[in-house]
mmCIF file of all heavy atoms in Angstrom:
data_model
loop_
_atom_site.group_PDB
_atom_site.id
_atom_site.type_symbol
_atom_site.label_atom_id
_atom_site.label_comp_id
_atom_site.label_asym_id
_atom_site.label_seq_id
_atom_site.Cartn_x
_atom_site.Cartn_y
_atom_site.Cartn_z
ATOM 1 N N ASN A 1 -54.532 16.825 -203.133
ATOM 2 C CA ASN A 1 -54.612 16.095 -201.870
ATOM 3 C C ASN A 1 -53.620 16.749 -200.975
ATOM 4 O O ASN A 1 -52.524 16.404 -200.820
ATOM 5 C CB ASN A 1 -54.253 14.663 -202.101
ATOM 6 C CG ASN A 1 -55.247 13.897 -202.839
ATOM 7 O OD1 ASN A 1 -56.366 13.533 -202.331
ATOM 8 N ND2 ASN A 1 -54.885 13.656 -204.103
ATOM 9 N N THR A 2 -54.012 17.795 -200.246
ATOM 10 C CA THR A 2 -53.196 18.584 -199.260
ATOM 11 C C THR A 2 -52.979 17.692 -198.057
ATOM 12 O O THR A 2 -53.764 16.727 -197.830
ATOM 13 C CB THR A 2 -53.859 19.860 -198.761
ATOM 14 O OG1 THR A 2 -55.011 19.569 -198.034
ATOM 15 C CG2 THR A 2 -54.186 20.722 -200.026
ATOM 16 N N GLU A 3 -51.944 17.953 -197.147
ATOM 17 C CA GLU A 3 -51.765 17.268 -196.002
ATOM 18 C C GLU A 3 -52.937 17.211 -195.133
ATOM 19 O O GLU A 3 -53.345 16.151 -194.497
ATOM 20 C CB GLU A 3 -50.531 17.670 -195.225
ATOM 21 C CG GLU A 3 -50.169 16.793 -194.056
ATOM 22 C CD GLU A 3 -48.897 17.207 -193.453
ATOM 23 O OE1 GLU A 3 -48.647 18.379 -193.008
ATOM 24 O OE2 GLU A 3 -47.950 16.430 -193.247
ATOM 25 N N ASN A 4 -53.639 18.295 -194.930
ATOM 26 C CA ASN A 4 -54.809 18.379 -194.121
ATOM 27 C C ASN A 4 -55.967 17.623 -194.683
ATOM 28 O O ASN A 4 -56.620 16.924 -193.815
ATOM 29 C CB ASN A 4 -55.208 19.823 -193.868
ATOM 30 C CG ASN A 4 -54.361 20.601 -192.986
ATOM 31 O OD1 ASN A 4 -53.546 19.987 -192.141
ATOM 32 N ND2 ASN A 4 -54.490 21.945 -193.046
ATOM 33 N N MET A 5 -56.055 17.443 -195.927
ATOM 34 C CA MET A 5 -57.094 16.601 -196.566
ATOM 35 C C MET A 5 -56.766 15.097 -196.095
ATOM 36 O O MET A 5 -57.654 14.357 -195.881
ATOM 37 C CB MET A 5 -57.181 16.779 -198.029
ATOM 38 C CG MET A 5 -57.854 18.133 -198.449
ATOM 39 S SD MET A 5 -57.584 18.378 -200.245
ATOM 40 C CE MET A 5 -58.419 16.991 -200.966
ATOM 41 N N ILE A 6 -55.499 14.792 -196.474
ATOM 42 C CA ILE A 6 -55.132 13.462 -196.212
ATOM 43 C C ILE A 6 -55.347 13.007 -194.844
ATOM 44 O O ILE A 6 -55.826 11.915 -194.467
ATOM 45 C CB ILE A 6 -53.529 13.179 -196.564
ATOM 46 C CG1 ILE A 6 -53.345 13.536 -198.021
ATOM 47 C CG2 ILE A 6 -53.196 11.836 -196.232
ATOM 48 C CD1 ILE A 6 -51.811 13.768 -198.305
ATOM 49 N N ILE A 7 -55.011 13.870 -193.810
ATOM 50 C CA ILE A 7 -55.296 13.617 -192.399
ATOM 51 C C ILE A 7 -56.748 13.472 -192.113
ATOM 52 O O ILE A 7 -57.164 12.556 -191.467
ATOM 53 C CB ILE A 7 -54.643 14.728 -191.539
ATOM 54 C CG1 ILE A 7 -53.141 14.744 -191.533
ATOM 55 C CG2 ILE A 7 -55.150 14.699 -190.166
ATOM 56 C CD1 ILE A 7 -52.487 15.951 -191.004
ATOM 57 N N ASP A 8 -57.467 14.380 -192.608
ATOM 58 C CA ASP A 8 -58.901 14.278 -192.466
ATOM 59 C C ASP A 8 -59.554 13.033 -193.084
ATOM 60 O O ASP A 8 -60.271 12.362 -192.385
ATOM 61 C CB ASP A 8 -59.669 15.482 -193.129
ATOM 62 C CG ASP A 8 -61.110 15.563 -193.015
ATOM 63 O OD1 ASP A 8 -61.460 15.403 -191.764
ATOM 64 O OD2 ASP A 8 -61.872 15.721 -193.996
ATOM 65 N N PHE A 9 -59.116 12.662 -194.227
ATOM 66 C CA PHE A 9 -59.667 11.418 -194.873
ATOM 67 C C PHE A 9 -59.260 10.221 -194.011
ATOM 68 O O PHE A 9 -59.990 9.369 -193.708
ATOM 69 C CB PHE A 9 -59.173 11.305 -196.152
ATOM 70 C CG PHE A 9 -59.880 12.000 -197.334
ATOM 71 C CD1 PHE A 9 -60.348 13.314 -197.088
ATOM 72 C CD2 PHE A 9 -60.068 11.713 -198.640
ATOM 73 C CE1 PHE A 9 -61.021 14.039 -198.017
ATOM 74 C CE2 PHE A 9 -60.625 12.319 -199.567
ATOM 75 C CZ PHE A 9 -61.154 13.549 -199.299
ATOM 76 N N ALA A 10 -58.006 10.177 -193.655
ATOM 77 C CA ALA A 10 -57.488 9.135 -192.750
ATOM 78 C C ALA A 10 -58.209 8.914 -191.544
ATOM 79 O O ALA A 10 -58.506 7.745 -191.177
ATOM 80 C CB ALA A 10 -56.045 9.116 -192.701
ATOM 81 N N LYS A 11 -58.374 9.974 -190.788
ATOM 82 C CA LYS A 11 -59.052 9.873 -189.547
ATOM 83 C C LYS A 11 -60.538 9.422 -189.661
ATOM 84 O O LYS A 11 -60.973 8.612 -188.804
ATOM 85 C CB LYS A 11 -59.030 11.254 -188.796
ATOM 86 C CG LYS A 11 -57.631 11.653 -188.350
ATOM 87 C CD LYS A 11 -57.729 12.994 -187.539
ATOM 88 C CE LYS A 11 -56.450 13.228 -186.888
ATOM 89 N NZ LYS A 11 -56.361 14.669 -186.177
ATOM 90 N N LYS A 12 -61.296 9.837 -190.693
ATOM 91 C CA LYS A 12 -62.568 9.468 -190.840
ATOM 92 C C LYS A 12 -62.602 7.933 -191.233
ATOM 93 O O LYS A 12 -63.615 7.230 -190.892
ATOM 94 C CB LYS A 12 -63.228 10.274 -191.932
ATOM 95 C CG LYS A 12 -63.466 11.708 -191.314
ATOM 96 C CD LYS A 12 -64.083 12.699 -192.373
ATOM 97 C CE LYS A 12 -64.435 14.059 -191.610
ATOM 98 N NZ LYS A 12 -64.755 15.065 -192.640
ATOM 99 N N MET A 13 -61.671 7.563 -191.987
ATOM 100 C CA MET A 13 -61.747 6.096 -192.438
ATOM 101 C C MET A 13 -61.523 5.226 -191.227
ATOM 102 O O MET A 13 -62.254 4.227 -190.942
ATOM 103 C CB MET A 13 -60.601 5.814 -193.424
ATOM 104 C CG MET A 13 -61.006 6.354 -194.843
ATOM 105 S SD MET A 13 -59.698 5.891 -196.034
ATOM 106 C CE MET A 13 -59.978 7.128 -197.322
ATOM 107 N N THR A 14 -60.326 5.603 -190.512
ATOM 108 C CA THR A 14 -59.916 4.658 -189.418
ATOM 109 C C THR A 14 -61.001 4.703 -188.287
ATOM 110 O O THR A 14 -61.194 3.702 -187.622
ATOM 111 C CB THR A 14 -58.630 5.097 -188.839
ATOM 112 O OG1 THR A 14 -58.504 6.415 -188.476
ATOM 113 C CG2 THR A 14 -57.544 4.784 -189.838
ATOM 114 N N ALA A 15 -61.668 5.846 -188.104
ATOM 115 C CA ALA A 15 -62.740 5.876 -187.089
ATOM 116 C C ALA A 15 -63.818 4.906 -187.358
ATOM 117 O O ALA A 15 -64.512 4.503 -186.458
ATOM 118 C CB ALA A 15 -63.275 7.313 -186.937
ATOM 119 N N LYS A 16 -64.079 4.568 -188.626
ATOM 120 C CA LYS A 16 -65.120 3.677 -188.985
ATOM 121 C C LYS A 16 -64.454 2.189 -189.172
ATOM 122 O O LYS A 16 -65.216 1.278 -189.568
ATOM 123 C CB LYS A 16 -65.715 4.134 -190.409
ATOM 124 C CG LYS A 16 -66.558 5.335 -190.276
ATOM 125 C CD LYS A 16 -67.202 5.772 -191.594
ATOM 126 C CE LYS A 16 -68.350 6.615 -191.464
ATOM 127 N NZ LYS A 16 -69.610 5.952 -191.168
ATOM 128 N N GLY A 17 -63.197 2.087 -188.908
ATOM 129 C CA GLY A 17 -62.643 0.773 -189.062
ATOM 130 C C GLY A 17 -62.370 0.355 -190.623
ATOM 131 O O GLY A 17 -62.211 -0.762 -190.836
ATOM 132 N N ILE A 18 -62.361 1.419 -191.450
ATOM 133 C CA ILE A 18 -62.087 1.024 -192.784
ATOM 134 C C ILE A 18 -60.589 1.074 -193.123
ATOM 135 O O ILE A 18 -59.920 2.090 -192.660
ATOM 136 C CB ILE A 18 -62.725 2.284 -193.618
ATOM 137 C CG1 ILE A 18 -64.350 2.193 -193.503
ATOM 138 C CG2 ILE A 18 -62.385 1.987 -195.069
ATOM 139 C CD1 ILE A 18 -64.909 3.411 -194.053
ATOM 140 N N LYS A 19 -59.964 0.143 -193.674
ATOM 141 C CA LYS A 19 -58.579 0.071 -193.969
ATOM 142 C C LYS A 19 -58.230 0.969 -195.075
ATOM 143 O O LYS A 19 -58.795 0.710 -196.231
ATOM 144 C CB LYS A 19 -58.077 -1.501 -194.206
ATOM 145 C CG LYS A 19 -56.600 -1.453 -194.381
ATOM 146 C CD LYS A 19 -56.063 -2.999 -194.607
ATOM 147 C CE LYS A 19 -54.577 -2.977 -194.682
ATOM 148 N NZ LYS A 19 -53.854 -2.891 -193.456
ATOM 149 N N PRO A 20 -57.468 1.955 -194.892
ATOM 150 C CA PRO A 20 -56.960 2.707 -196.113
ATOM 151 C C PRO A 20 -56.033 1.957 -197.013
ATOM 152 O O PRO A 20 -55.138 1.299 -196.500
ATOM 153 C CB PRO A 20 -56.244 4.031 -195.411
ATOM 154 C CG PRO A 20 -56.444 3.785 -193.905
ATOM 155 C CD PRO A 20 -56.781 2.438 -193.774
ATOM 156 N N GLU A 21 -56.218 2.070 -198.240
ATOM 157 C CA GLU A 21 -55.199 1.565 -199.257
ATOM 158 C C GLU A 21 -54.496 2.903 -199.623
ATOM 159 O O GLU A 21 -54.978 3.909 -200.149
ATOM 160 C CB GLU A 21 -55.758 0.973 -200.540
ATOM 161 C CG GLU A 21 -54.690 0.531 -201.495
ATOM 162 C CD GLU A 21 -55.179 -0.036 -202.719
ATOM 163 O OE1 GLU A 21 -55.772 0.641 -203.617
ATOM 164 O OE2 GLU A 21 -54.978 -1.258 -202.929
ATOM 165 N N VAL A 22 -53.221 2.902 -199.240
ATOM 166 C CA VAL A 22 -52.347 4.195 -199.397
ATOM 167 C C VAL A 22 -52.018 4.322 -200.850
ATOM 168 O O VAL A 22 -51.013 3.552 -201.298
ATOM 169 C CB VAL A 22 -51.180 4.173 -198.418
ATOM 170 C CG1 VAL A 22 -50.320 5.383 -198.599
ATOM 171 C CG2 VAL A 22 -51.730 4.044 -197.011
ATOM 172 N N GLU A 23 -52.618 5.133 -201.632
ATOM 173 C CA GLU A 23 -52.252 5.326 -203.076
ATOM 174 C C GLU A 23 -51.151 6.346 -203.249
ATOM 175 O O GLU A 23 -51.202 7.479 -202.730
ATOM 176 C CB GLU A 23 -53.405 5.826 -203.831
ATOM 177 C CG GLU A 23 -54.493 4.695 -203.997
ATOM 178 C CD GLU A 23 -55.293 4.848 -205.338
ATOM 179 O OE1 GLU A 23 -55.321 5.947 -205.959
ATOM 180 O OE2 GLU A 23 -56.024 3.884 -205.718
ATOM 181 N N CYS A 24 -50.142 5.967 -203.919
ATOM 182 C CA CYS A 24 -48.870 6.732 -204.137
ATOM 183 C C CYS A 24 -48.498 6.841 -205.475
ATOM 184 O O CYS A 24 -48.266 5.709 -206.186
ATOM 185 C CB CYS A 24 -47.667 6.238 -203.218
ATOM 186 S SG CYS A 24 -47.951 6.193 -201.455
ATOM 187 N N PHE A 25 -48.404 7.981 -206.117
ATOM 188 C CA PHE A 25 -47.952 8.217 -207.360
ATOM 189 C C PHE A 25 -46.545 8.622 -207.603
ATOM 190 O O PHE A 25 -45.992 8.820 -208.613
ATOM 191 C CB PHE A 25 -48.886 9.278 -208.060
ATOM 192 C CG PHE A 25 -50.359 9.022 -208.022
ATOM 193 C CD1 PHE A 25 -51.087 9.206 -207.042
ATOM 194 C CD2 PHE A 25 -50.877 8.617 -209.232
ATOM 195 C CE1 PHE A 25 -52.388 8.968 -207.016
ATOM 196 C CE2 PHE A 25 -52.357 8.307 -209.262
ATOM 197 C CZ PHE A 25 -53.059 8.466 -208.170
ATOM 198 N N ASP A 26 -45.918 8.792 -206.386
ATOM 199 C CA ASP A 26 -44.469 9.292 -206.300
ATOM 200 C C ASP A 26 -43.897 8.898 -204.891
ATOM 201 O O ASP A 26 -44.627 8.665 -203.957
ATOM 202 C CB ASP A 26 -44.380 10.755 -206.666
ATOM 203 C CG ASP A 26 -43.169 11.025 -207.488
ATOM 204 O OD1 ASP A 26 -42.149 10.221 -207.389
ATOM 205 O OD2 ASP A 26 -43.174 12.046 -208.118
ATOM 206 N N LYS A 27 -42.512 8.979 -204.869
ATOM 207 C CA LYS A 27 -41.920 8.625 -203.624
ATOM 208 C C LYS A 27 -42.277 9.559 -202.433
ATOM 209 O O LYS A 27 -42.460 9.121 -201.331
ATOM 210 C CB LYS A 27 -40.388 8.686 -203.840
ATOM 211 C CG LYS A 27 -39.549 8.729 -202.635
ATOM 212 C CD LYS A 27 -39.597 7.484 -201.757
ATOM 213 C CE LYS A 27 -38.379 7.272 -200.842
ATOM 214 N NZ LYS A 27 -38.286 8.436 -199.864
ATOM 215 N N GLY A 28 -42.496 10.855 -202.826
ATOM 216 C CA GLY A 28 -42.800 11.748 -201.644
ATOM 217 C C GLY A 28 -44.118 11.393 -200.970
ATOM 218 O O GLY A 28 -44.365 11.778 -199.779
ATOM 219 N N MET A 29 -45.101 10.713 -201.623
ATOM 220 C CA MET A 29 -46.323 10.363 -201.088
ATOM 221 C C MET A 29 -46.068 9.253 -200.041
ATOM 222 O O MET A 29 -46.735 9.115 -199.101
ATOM 223 C CB MET A 29 -47.306 9.982 -202.148
ATOM 224 C CG MET A 29 -47.604 11.131 -203.146
ATOM 225 S SD MET A 29 -48.816 10.618 -204.364
ATOM 226 C CE MET A 29 -48.725 12.057 -205.507
ATOM 227 N N ILE A 30 -45.203 8.327 -200.305
ATOM 228 C CA ILE A 30 -44.703 7.290 -199.474
ATOM 229 C C ILE A 30 -44.224 7.936 -198.175
ATOM 230 O O ILE A 30 -44.622 7.640 -196.993
ATOM 231 C CB ILE A 30 -43.714 6.448 -199.935
ATOM 232 C CG1 ILE A 30 -44.261 5.586 -201.222
ATOM 233 C CG2 ILE A 30 -43.214 5.398 -198.912
ATOM 234 C CD1 ILE A 30 -43.185 4.734 -201.891
ATOM 235 N N ASP A 31 -43.469 8.956 -198.249
ATOM 236 C CA ASP A 31 -42.950 9.592 -197.060
ATOM 237 C C ASP A 31 -43.935 10.266 -196.196
ATOM 238 O O ASP A 31 -43.896 10.274 -194.989
ATOM 239 C CB ASP A 31 -41.860 10.713 -197.492
ATOM 240 C CG ASP A 31 -40.699 10.072 -198.233
ATOM 241 O OD1 ASP A 31 -40.262 8.896 -198.024
ATOM 242 O OD2 ASP A 31 -39.957 10.728 -198.999
ATOM 243 N N THR A 32 -44.919 10.858 -196.981
ATOM 244 C CA THR A 32 -46.069 11.538 -196.224
ATOM 245 C C THR A 32 -46.847 10.417 -195.468
ATOM 246 O O THR A 32 -47.206 10.592 -194.285
ATOM 247 C CB THR A 32 -46.998 12.186 -197.201
ATOM 248 O OG1 THR A 32 -46.450 13.291 -197.856
ATOM 249 C CG2 THR A 32 -48.434 12.663 -196.552
ATOM 250 N N ALA A 33 -47.127 9.338 -196.016
ATOM 251 C CA ALA A 33 -47.764 8.171 -195.376
ATOM 252 C C ALA A 33 -46.969 7.673 -194.166
ATOM 253 O O ALA A 33 -47.549 7.426 -193.132
ATOM 254 C CB ALA A 33 -48.128 7.096 -196.345
ATOM 255 N N ILE A 34 -45.765 7.575 -194.402
ATOM 256 C CA ILE A 34 -44.929 7.085 -193.156
ATOM 257 C C ILE A 34 -44.890 8.046 -192.052
ATOM 258 O O ILE A 34 -45.033 7.798 -190.868
ATOM 259 C CB ILE A 34 -43.481 6.908 -193.626
ATOM 260 C CG1 ILE A 34 -43.430 5.586 -194.593
ATOM 261 C CG2 ILE A 34 -42.600 6.647 -192.572
ATOM 262 C CD1 ILE A 34 -42.196 5.413 -195.295
ATOM 263 N N ARG A 35 -44.802 9.395 -192.375
ATOM 264 C CA ARG A 35 -44.877 10.378 -191.335
ATOM 265 C C ARG A 35 -46.248 10.332 -190.581
ATOM 266 O O ARG A 35 -46.193 10.455 -189.345
ATOM 267 C CB ARG A 35 -44.740 11.779 -191.833
ATOM 268 C CG ARG A 35 -44.557 12.884 -190.996
ATOM 269 C CD ARG A 35 -44.135 14.186 -191.580
ATOM 270 N NE ARG A 35 -45.271 14.785 -192.476
ATOM 271 C CZ ARG A 35 -45.025 14.804 -193.783
ATOM 272 N NH1 ARG A 35 -44.042 14.261 -194.442
ATOM 273 N NH2 ARG A 35 -46.034 15.323 -194.578
ATOM 274 N N LEU A 36 -47.322 10.226 -191.365
ATOM 275 C CA LEU A 36 -48.623 10.078 -190.719
ATOM 276 C C LEU A 36 -48.891 8.823 -189.918
ATOM 277 O O LEU A 36 -49.506 8.817 -188.853
ATOM 278 C CB LEU A 36 -49.758 10.383 -191.733
ATOM 279 C CG LEU A 36 -49.731 11.675 -192.472
ATOM 280 C CD1 LEU A 36 -50.888 11.812 -193.445
ATOM 281 C CD2 LEU A 36 -49.795 12.930 -191.462
ATOM 282 N N ASN A 37 -48.078 7.808 -190.437
ATOM 283 C CA ASN A 37 -48.284 6.439 -189.659
ATOM 284 C C ASN A 37 -47.594 6.703 -188.317
ATOM 285 O O ASN A 37 -48.139 6.146 -187.284
ATOM 286 C CB ASN A 37 -47.561 5.407 -190.497
ATOM 287 C CG ASN A 37 -47.355 4.119 -189.822
ATOM 288 O OD1 ASN A 37 -46.324 3.877 -189.375
ATOM 289 N ND2 ASN A 37 -48.417 3.342 -189.656
ATOM 290 N N ARG A 38 -46.363 7.337 -188.399
ATOM 291 C CA ARG A 38 -45.741 7.474 -187.077
ATOM 292 C C ARG A 38 -46.422 8.374 -186.040
ATOM 293 O O ARG A 38 -46.281 8.213 -184.887
ATOM 294 C CB ARG A 38 -44.324 8.111 -187.301
ATOM 295 C CG ARG A 38 -43.332 7.233 -188.013
ATOM 296 C CD ARG A 38 -42.084 7.847 -188.476
ATOM 297 N NE ARG A 38 -41.165 6.951 -189.025
ATOM 298 C CZ ARG A 38 -40.095 7.175 -189.856
ATOM 299 N NH1 ARG A 38 -39.898 8.569 -190.156
ATOM 300 N NH2 ARG A 38 -39.327 6.289 -190.320
ATOM 301 N N LYS A 39 -47.315 9.212 -186.584
ATOM 302 C CA LYS A 39 -48.174 10.111 -185.714
ATOM 303 C C LYS A 39 -49.436 9.370 -185.324
ATOM 304 O O LYS A 39 -50.271 9.881 -184.528
ATOM 305 C CB LYS A 39 -48.455 11.468 -186.368
ATOM 306 C CG LYS A 39 -47.297 12.293 -186.676
ATOM 307 C CD LYS A 39 -47.762 13.580 -187.322
ATOM 308 C CE LYS A 39 -46.602 14.577 -187.595
ATOM 309 N NZ LYS A 39 -47.051 15.828 -188.323
ATOM 310 N N GLY A 40 -49.658 8.108 -185.735
ATOM 311 C CA GLY A 40 -50.847 7.333 -185.399
ATOM 312 C C GLY A 40 -52.097 7.710 -186.281
ATOM 313 O O GLY A 40 -53.152 7.280 -185.970
ATOM 314 N N ILE A 41 -51.870 8.477 -187.333
ATOM 315 C CA ILE A 41 -53.044 8.821 -188.106
ATOM 316 C C ILE A 41 -53.441 7.792 -189.152
ATOM 317 O O ILE A 41 -54.557 7.509 -189.399
ATOM 318 C CB ILE A 41 -52.732 10.240 -188.801
ATOM 319 C CG1 ILE A 41 -52.628 11.314 -187.742
ATOM 320 C CG2 ILE A 41 -53.793 10.492 -189.806
ATOM 321 C CD1 ILE A 41 -51.931 12.547 -188.221
ATOM 322 N N ILE A 42 -52.370 7.194 -189.797
ATOM 323 C CA ILE A 42 -52.636 6.080 -190.641
ATOM 324 C C ILE A 42 -52.141 4.856 -189.759
ATOM 325 O O ILE A 42 -50.974 4.756 -189.511
ATOM 326 C CB ILE A 42 -51.925 6.050 -191.939
ATOM 327 C CG1 ILE A 42 -52.339 7.442 -192.711
ATOM 328 C CG2 ILE A 42 -52.084 4.880 -192.754
ATOM 329 C CD1 ILE A 42 -51.586 7.636 -193.932
ATOM 330 N N PRO A 43 -52.984 3.867 -189.620
ATOM 331 C CA PRO A 43 -52.546 2.704 -188.793
ATOM 332 C C PRO A 43 -51.662 1.781 -189.431
ATOM 333 O O PRO A 43 -51.641 1.592 -190.648
ATOM 334 C CB PRO A 43 -54.029 2.097 -188.389
ATOM 335 C CG PRO A 43 -54.892 2.366 -189.553
ATOM 336 C CD PRO A 43 -54.474 3.838 -190.017
ATOM 337 N N SER A 44 -50.984 0.933 -188.670
ATOM 338 C CA SER A 44 -50.182 -0.148 -189.143
ATOM 339 C C SER A 44 -50.920 -1.468 -189.084
ATOM 340 O O SER A 44 -51.861 -1.527 -188.233
ATOM 341 C CB SER A 44 -48.917 -0.169 -188.303
ATOM 342 O OG SER A 44 -48.057 0.881 -188.452
ATOM 343 N N PRO A 45 -50.587 -2.403 -189.904
ATOM 344 C CA PRO A 45 -49.682 -2.308 -191.061
ATOM 345 C C PRO A 45 -50.250 -1.669 -192.210
ATOM 346 O O PRO A 45 -51.505 -1.731 -192.409
ATOM 347 C CB PRO A 45 -49.361 -3.757 -191.374
ATOM 348 C CG PRO A 45 -50.545 -4.593 -190.939
ATOM 349 C CD PRO A 45 -51.072 -3.812 -189.749
ATOM 350 N N MET A 46 -49.519 -0.911 -192.938
ATOM 351 C CA MET A 46 -50.074 -0.125 -194.099
ATOM 352 C C MET A 46 -50.154 -0.936 -195.343
ATOM 353 O O MET A 46 -49.247 -1.860 -195.497
ATOM 354 C CB MET A 46 -49.282 1.152 -194.354
ATOM 355 C CG MET A 46 -49.437 2.190 -193.387
ATOM 356 S SD MET A 46 -48.650 3.691 -193.759
ATOM 357 C CE MET A 46 -46.888 3.404 -193.439
#
């Protein structure tokens, strides 16, 4: 799951009004989600 893949998946889900469940197997994945949330790519509340 590269960063570009995550961005692409998130944009396609949110464009359809689908709520992403952010799956995290480690702490760094949380940090990635938070960074993308701050950029508006993953909507709040997560």
Side-chain angles (χ1 to χ4, degrees):
N1 296 282
T2 67
E3 184 172 54
N4 285 341
M5 286 171 61
I6 298 163
I7 291 169
D8 180 51
F9 280 35
K11 285 182 174 179
K12 287 175 177 173
M13 287 182 201
T14 54
K16 287 178 163 286
I18 299 167
K19 186 177 181 75
E21 180 182 72
V22 179
E23 286 206 346
C24 296
F25 299 82
D26 217 334
K27 165 64 162 57
M29 299 184 190
I30 296 174
D31 297 335
T32 295
I34 291 171
R35 187 172 66 253
L36 297 181
N37 171 256
R38 287 172 178 163
K39 292 180 177 180
I41 294 166
I42 300 176
S44 295
M46 288 187 284

